[in-house]
Amino acid sequence: LFYYLAAPLALVGSSTANSILMGLSVLLWPLLLLGCHALGAELADSKQRHRTGLLCAAIAGLLPGLFNYSRVLVLDLTLAITVCWSTALLLRSLRSPGSPGIPGATALLTMAAGLAIKVNALAFLAGPLWIAGSAALSKAAAGQPRRQPLRFIAIFMGALLLTGWLLLGSRGAAILETARDSTWPGKLIGYASQGSLGQYANHYLSFVRSQSWEVLYYSTLQSFTPLWLAAVIVACAAYFVRPVEAQHKKVERQRQKLVFSALAIPLFGVIFVLRDIYDERYLIPLLPLCAALTARASLAIAHARCRVFIISLGLLAGSLNFNVISFNVLPELRPLACTTAAGWAPKARVGDRLW
């Protein structure tokens, strides 16, 4: 899909990479920011939906990780857009239990587009889809015990159809090869065939230790920078520990589970499942959700003056941070914005600093 968008731009105008990237950015960047607005609005309290959406879009636009990949011919920004819209629509289906059909069906179409772009979409959306789909099927079967088995049959058939589409389609051979050669469960077969199962546990634990540091280093410090990383950590903690109103408790708990699965499953996958193919851009689709959580936490500050001060300070500091990294404004501040932790990453990969 990404390359189908790029092809007309190359035919109509110049076929150079810079021209294609500029055209794609004009098409894709507004879709990303609109998706961030929708996602922020869905995570917000009912009285703050529009403001949270606007603040989420502003924060997402200032994240160096997202902007960086709008200037590179890779699929990850397009994937981030579909994941963002799908997550927002699935959250809406939970927020509107009386009529989840339209947002749920639209989410499925958006997820199909994401899978057509990159099969990695499954890691970001399988958990949210399971939670939203289970909630919808449970409501449909409520009060009709005979229909309860239909819930499991529907989920099983959906999973079976998706598996068949992925494995029997044009990318099936590549997916199976990646699963066999580039994941630890797949390599277990190789260790067994070589008679070296006794070494598997030691190799795996050693890898997980180094991989967890690398994921923390590249996907947090590089994608967010220290400024936004601190804000995201506080925002995530605030979202999951906040008190929930009794009248909306069930729905809000479902929404928390959906957000948690959207964050945790991809992180678990790159740390504990993938082997030797990790790149920091693999977690780029998480950035809009992190921006939405940050916007929600900022607008949830009770004291009005304190809230305005923190939001204003965050946007001003974020703008400076963005320009220092992306456009080398005030280069003397670059070491501060690109802080590194000594010994966390091999110099052969990034040198002695990020970006």
Side-chain angles (χ1 to χ4, degrees):
L1 180 60
F2 180 84
Y3 296 115
Y4 288 153
L5 288 172
L9 295 171
L11 293 173
V12 172
S14 171
S15 60
T16 63
N18 287 341
S19 300
I20 294 174
L21 281 169
M22 179 62 72
L24 285 171
S25 294
V26 170
L27 291 173
L28 298 178
W29 197 248
L31 283 176
L32 174 66
L33 297 184
L34 287 171
C36 289
H37 180 280
L39 183 56
E42 290 304 324
L43 277 180
D45 295 330
S46 57
K47 297 180 180 179
Q48 299 275 13
R49 297 188 65 230
H50 183 57
R51 292 180 180 179
T52 307
L54 288 175
L55 184 56
C56 173
I59 292 173
L62 295 176
L63 292 178
L66 284 174
F67 181 72
N68 178 63
Y69 285 103
S70 71
R71 300 182 292 173
V72 184
L73 274 173
V74 293
L75 303 176
D76 299 272
L77 180 67
T78 320
L79 178 62
I81 294 170
T82 59
V83 169
C84 179
W85 277 103
S86 298
T87 307
L89 290 165
L90 290 173
L91 284 167
R92 178 170 293 186
S93 72
L94 290 177
R95 186 172 56 85
S96 308
S99 56
I102 293 177
T106 310
L108 289 175
L109 291 174
T110 310
M111 291 174 65
L115 286 169
I117 293 168
K118 206 171 184 182
V119 73
N120 303 35
L122 197 60
F124 298 94
L125 296 172
L129 178 61
W130 173 270
I131 291 167
S134 297
L137 290 171
S138 295
K139 184 170 180 60
Q144 301 179 23
R146 293 183 180 180
R147 292 190 177 184
Q148 287 291 351
L150 295 178
R151 170 185 176 184
F152 301 100
I153 293 173
I155 293 174
F156 175 77
M157 291 302 296
L160 190 63
L161 289 172
L162 177 61
T163 303
W165 177 49
L166 292 175
L167 296 184
L168 300 178
S170 59
R171 294 178 293 174
I175 292 171
L176 289 174
E177 182 181 356
T178 301
R180 183 182 65 250
D181 297 336
S182 300
T183 68
W184 280 102
K187 290 302 290 183
L188 184 61
I189 300 173
Y191 275 81
S193 64
Q194 296 170 8
S196 55
L197 274 177
Q199 301 176 6
Y200 180 85
N202 288 334
H203 291 175
Y204 177 68
L205 291 175
S206 176
F207 172 85
V208 167
R209 283 195 296 269
S210 62
Q211 181 80 340
S212 60
W213 283 115
E214 188 166 344
V215 169
L216 179 64
Y217 187 81
Y218 288 109
S219 288
T220 55
L221 283 179
Q222 174 130 325
S223 296
F224 293 109
T225 70
L227 172 69
W228 289 116
L229 175 59
V232 167
I233 292 173
V234 172
C236 288
Y239 181 74
F240 290 112
V241 303
R242 79 190 196 287
V244 177
E245 297 180 10
Q247 64 184 64
H248 303 300
K249 188 171 183 178
K250 182 178 180 180
V251 172
E252 285 303 314
R253 290 304 181 201
Q254 288 174 337
R255 288 158 61 83
Q256 284 183 333
K257 290 178 182 178
L258 189 152
V259 171
F260 179 79
S261 69
L263 293 170
I265 292 176
L267 285 169
F268 179 88
V270 298
I271 294 174
F272 296 101
V273 178
L274 290 185
R275 178 182 181 272
D276 296 337
I277 61 169
Y278 171 68
D279 192 284
E280 59 270 16
R281 61 188 169 87
Y282 290 172
L283 293 179
I284 286 295
L286 291 184
L287 300 191
L289 181 57
C290 292
L293 290 169
T294 305
R296 190 192 188 286
S298 300
L299 286 165
I301 297 172
H303 194 282
R305 291 184 177 179
C306 183
R307 179 173 64 247
V308 171
F309 174 77
I310 289 177
I311 292 174
S312 301
L313 181 63
L315 291 177
L316 287 172
S319 299
L320 179 60
N321 182 71
F322 173 81
N323 282 283
V324 167
I325 291 174
S326 299
F327 297 105
N328 208 32
V329 174
L330 299 176
E332 62 272 15
L333 295 180
R334 191 174 180 84
L336 180 63
C338 299
T339 300
T340 60
W344 278 21
K347 289 188 176 182
R349 179 168 179 177
V350 295
D352 58 356
R353 68 180 186 181
L354 292 173
W355 294 101

